[in-house]
């Protein structure tokens, strides 16, 4: 149930984000989720995409600094306290969340998590009834 995320290092310069989007569009790769974190010099674009291996190759071929990272994606009800429960379960087991990003649509919320132990994260959340989203399902979102 571990999924893959692209991490792309981008200069803080107009048009760089568009260049990545254009490459993925030309390769017919869908972006499922994304997050951008920035500093004054560069940004880190994190993306869950429909074909991570193909995206990795396409971006490397276009001279982007890019890598693949293991992540866990969960699907929870879009109601108050849902993510609190999931994070409590992880905290109780001593699993630290390095970073996350999330989005909600109608009655469901999806959260992308990078933890210090993704396998244990999956085990804990699954045992507590939290839905872990497979890579195959992510490709279809």
């Amino acid at each position: 149930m571990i999924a893959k995320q692209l991490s792309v290092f981008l200069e803080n310069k107009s048009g760089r984000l568009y260049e990545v989007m254009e490459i993925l569009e030309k390769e017919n790769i869908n972006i499922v989720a994304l997050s951008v974190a920035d500093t004054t010099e560069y940004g880190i674009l994190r993306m869950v995409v429909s074909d991570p291996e193909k995206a990795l190759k396409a971006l490397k071929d276009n001279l982007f600094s890019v890598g693949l990272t293991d992540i866990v994606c969960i699907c929870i009800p879009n109601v108050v306290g849902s993510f609190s429960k999931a994070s409590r379960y992880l905290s109780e087991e001593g699993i630290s969340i390095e970073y996350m990003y999330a989005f909600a649509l109608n009655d469901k919320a999806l959260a992308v998590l990078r933890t210090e132990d993704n396998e244990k994260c999956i085990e804990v959340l699954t045992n507590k009834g939290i839905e872990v989203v497979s890579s195959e399902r992510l490709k279809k979102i």
Side-chain angles (χ1 to χ4, degrees):
M1 292 281 201
I2 288 180
K4 296 290 185 185
Q5 164 195 270
L6 289 167
S7 296
V8 186
F9 291 89
L10 298 173
E11 303 89 11
N12 277 349
K13 186 172 106 177
S14 179
R16 289 300 279 169
L17 182 61
Y18 167 69
E19 290 174 38
V20 171
M21 301 301 127
E22 184 178 40
I23 290 164
L24 297 179
E25 179 185 10
K26 286 179 181 174
E27 294 292 329
N28 199 33
I29 296 169
N30 188 41
I31 299 167
V32 176
L34 67 83
S35 169
V36 179
D38 71 331
T39 66
T40 54
E41 300 296 320
Y42 66 92
I44 301 174
L45 170 62
R46 293 183 172 114
M47 297 182 291
V48 177
V49 298
S50 59
D51 192 335
E53 297 292 340
K54 184 177 177 183
L56 178 71
K57 181 179 181 335
L59 292 169
K60 280 189 173 188
D61 287 350
N62 283 275
L63 306 178
F64 281 91
S65 177
V66 59
L68 281 179
T69 307
D70 290 341
I71 50 100
V72 175
C73 184
I74 61 172
C75 182
I76 54 180
N78 185 16
V79 297
V80 173
S82 290
F83 190 72
S84 176
K85 286 179 188 174
S87 60
R88 182 180 74 238
Y89 298 148
L90 296 177
S91 178
E92 289 171 349
E93 295 295 326
I95 300 169
S96 176
I97 298 172
E98 294 175 10
Y99 61 81
M100 65 156 294
Y101 47 102
F103 60 97
L105 182 63
N106 300 321
D107 62 339
K108 298 287 183 190
L110 289 153
V112 175
L113 310 171
R114 169 72 177 163
T115 70
E116 62 188 7
D117 188 339
N118 288 328
E119 293 289 347
K120 188 174 178 185
C121 172
I122 291 169
E123 178 184 337
V124 167
L125 294 178
T126 301
N127 287 342
K128 294 290 188 175
I130 303 285
E131 180 185 356
V132 177
V133 181
S134 71
S135 295
E136 289 306 312
R137 183 166 167 219
L138 277 174
K139 291 177 184 181
K140 298 174 184 174
I141 293 176

